[in-house]
Amino acid sequence: MSVKNLEQRLSEFRERGYTIFEGAYDAGQMQAWKDCYEDMVRRNTPRDAPEPRLRVTSALEQEPWLMLPAVNNQAILDFAERVMGPFIQLDNLTFMAFPSEPREQAEGTVSFWHRDRWGWMPDGPQYIRPTACNAICYLQDLTDEYGPLRVVEGSHRRAVTIESEAHRTLPHPDETVLRVKAGDVVFTHCSLLHSGTPNTSGKPRYFFSTYYNRVGLPTRDNHKGPSVQRIVEMARARNDRRLMRLFGVDDAIEPRANALFLRPDEEMWDKWIAEDRAALSQ
């Protein structure tokens, strides 16, 4: 990504609360994920459960080498570090196929408006750096039938409220409807107000959320399992600080978290990012 494109993307993110990485994943990668989904659901569902658990959590622990590209996308991590600094940790990787709903029941509704984990109600209009960001990817085009993503642009900087419980599932007058393509990634600020749309396509809508927060915060995924720890050891062998940091291993966190802060943050981030890259052995 060129510096110019990076600056444009940062400006867009700060103003709107999101940016879209077009074509982040190709058809072969997406098909491999979809092919594995049913088996992951089976393994994720307890034997005594009354129905399958469609939301696969800790997906990286189940399928580490298949799902690692969803977590360790270099272009997205480069951008995340420009937004939050070199402090990016994986909160969770969730994989799901949303079932189709009857069209007559879904007509005129949205899934539900919300801000994400570690978000807040803004009192703006100033931009505040996020404590977490979501990298959302759909594995098919978001047509009206599959159900597009809806966002209220700038709601990470404005106190946009939802007046009642009933309004949580109704279209918002200020919404922007994002009919993104398969393999695009929508990268959102944790305080951006957004909602899905019911899927009425007659087919599953495949989706995954790679949720990042600041290293040191609690995570929903447990990174201590054997699969993730094998990735950590692989990263340690190459001194890949960024990959280790995704799973909470950051030997530089103490000096960087207590760096006196006498220079602009972005200047310090550039220095630390350069240090991390220089330390990486090929």
Side-chain angles (χ1 to χ4, degrees):
M1 183 186 299
S2 70
V3 173
K4 180 180 179 180
N5 285 339
L6 175 61
E7 290 305 315
Q8 289 174 339
R9 195 179 287 284
L10 282 168
S11 177
E12 178 181 72
F13 181 83
R14 290 169 180 152
E15 182 66 25
R16 298 180 181 178
Y18 71 95
T19 188
I20 301 173
F21 290 82
E22 293 87 0
Y25 301 106
D26 61 29
Q29 177 69 83
M30 290 187 286
Q31 189 60 53
W33 285 329
K34 288 191 284 189
D35 288 345
C36 195
Y37 174 74
E38 293 298 333
D39 186 55
M40 293 176 73
V41 166
R42 179 186 58 78
R43 285 180 277 162
N44 198 59
T45 304
R47 290 184 179 181
D48 58 352
E51 56 188 21
R53 288 185 178 174
L54 300 181
R55 185 180 294 271
V56 177
T57 56
S58 294
L60 193 64
E61 181 61 33
Q62 281 201 41
E63 290 289 342
W65 309 117
L66 179 67
M67 300 307 298
L68 185 58
V71 169
N72 195 34
N73 183 301
Q74 298 301 295
I76 291 171
L77 289 178
D78 285 348
F79 183 72
E81 288 188 335
R82 302 312 306 168
V83 170
M84 295 171 60
F87 302 104
I88 306 302
Q89 174 183 249
L90 176 66
D91 180 291
N92 76 96
L93 173 62
T94 297
F95 187 21
M96 184 172 179
F98 289 88
S100 184
E101 302 179 24
R103 189 182 303 270
E104 59 274 12
Q105 293 181 17
E107 191 71 31
T109 68
V110 305
S111 298
F112 66 98
W113 291 104
H114 63 286
R115 291 178 168 91
D116 280 334
R117 177 173 164 90
W118 304 111
W120 59 89
M121 174 62 73
D123 58 5
Q126 73 275 15
Y127 168 78
I128 298 175
R129 296 191 188 104
T131 49
C133 290
N134 203 356
I136 307 168
C137 185
Y138 297 89
L139 307 187
Q140 61 285 299
D141 293 352
L142 284 193
T143 62
D144 289 337
E145 291 73 26
Y146 272 111
L149 180 64
R150 299 164 183 262
V151 301
V152 178
E153 293 187 356
S155 55
H156 64 310
R157 302 173 60 159
R158 296 186 288 118
V160 180
T161 62
I162 301 298
E163 296 303 321
S164 70
E165 191 71 21
H167 285 84
R168 287 189 68 187
T169 56
L170 295 178
H172 194 281
D174 296 332
E175 71 183 25
T176 296
V177 179
L178 302 180
R179 298 176 178 85
V180 296
K181 299 295 185 182
D184 291 351
V185 170
V186 186
F187 189 91
T188 63
H189 190 292
C190 58
S191 290
L192 179 73
L193 191 64
H194 62 285
S195 172
T197 306
N199 171 22
T200 61
S201 68
K203 300 176 182 179
R205 181 180 69 210
Y206 291 93
F207 148 102
F208 68 78
S209 162
T210 306
Y211 202 72
Y212 300 106
N213 65 13
R214 190 178 174 92
V215 67
L217 287 173
T219 64
R220 283 177 284 187
D221 281 2
N222 179 1
H223 300 322
K224 301 302 183 183
S227 295
V228 172
Q229 285 302 300
R230 281 194 293 272
I231 296 173
V232 171
E233 290 309 310
M234 176 189 72
R236 194 187 304 278
R238 298 183 59 226
N239 203 24
D240 190 338
R241 296 176 178 177
R242 181 156 80 173
L243 184 54
M244 288 189 289
R245 189 180 298 127
L246 284 179
F247 309 111
V249 180
D250 189 357
D251 295 338
I253 187 62
E254 180 54 34
R256 292 178 181 180
N258 192 28
L260 303 182
F261 308 106
L262 304 177
R263 304 294 303 166
D265 284 352
E266 287 81 359
E267 183 178 315
M268 298 304 297
W269 293 355
D270 284 343
K271 175 178 178 290
W272 295 333
I273 290 168
E275 288 174 356
D276 289 350
R277 291 180 179 174
L280 181 64
S281 61
Q282 301 300 324

